[in-house]
Amino acid sequence: QVRLVESGGKSVQAGGSLRLSCAASGGTFSSYVMGWFRQAPGKEREFVASISRGGRDTYYADSVKGRFTITRDNVKSMVDLQMNSLKFEDTAVYYCSAGYDLGPSAPMKYWGKGTLVTVSS
């Protein structure tokens, strides 16, 4: 069983930056594709970004491409999401996830409890 714990969520102004982190434990971190998803109030959870096991390949939702960057550290068992040029519509609970397949439609097996990001306009 993999345990994922997100951190870094807070309130920021539009145009600002924020870095989310996810610490993994209980499994072989490097064997999992890692991803970030988000759920805005009143909306369904949506894909944000994912990264391959070795970190070479990444996928991003069109809405965050060029603004967000996903990275991972297989030694520390952590995956980060650097978010720049934040917009009001980025407001959501952000979830860290782990799975086996790369891509925005790939199902993820493990989920964290989420961290709240609020962007004020």
Side-chain angles (χ1 to χ4, degrees):
Q1 183 76 11
V2 175
R3 182 170 179 255
L4 303 172
V5 180
E6 303 94 337
S7 62
K10 65 178 182 180
S11 296
V12 295
Q13 288 193 331
S17 297
L18 200 58
R19 189 175 187 89
L20 304 182
S21 294
C22 172
S25 61
T28 304
F29 182 75
S30 59
S31 68
Y32 295 101
V33 169
M34 300 300 297
W36 286 94
F37 289 71
R38 67 186 181 186
Q39 186 168 18
K43 296 187 177 181
E44 293 186 353
R45 186 161 58 189
E46 64 175 3
F47 169 82
V48 175
S50 62
I51 188 166
S52 61
R53 294 171 178 80
R56 185 179 64 180
D57 298 313
T58 56
Y59 281 91
Y60 295 95
D62 287 342
S63 59
V64 307
K65 203 170 293 184
R67 300 188 297 122
F68 290 11
T69 303
I70 185 171
T71 57
R72 67 186 295 162
D73 186 329
N74 285 347
V75 175
K76 296 181 178 178
S77 297
M78 295 193 68
V79 58
D80 289 352
L81 185 68
Q82 177 67 40
M83 305 186 295
N84 298 328
S85 302
L86 283 162
K87 304 176 181 180
F88 175 75
E89 49 265 39
D90 294 320
T91 295
V93 176
Y94 283 72
Y95 297 91
C96 177
S97 61
Y100 300 110
D101 297 311
L102 187 64
S105 301
M108 304 302 273
K109 185 172 178 66
Y110 301 104
W111 295 88
K113 294 185 178 181
T115 185
L116 177 63
V117 173
T118 303
V119 183
S120 58
S121 57

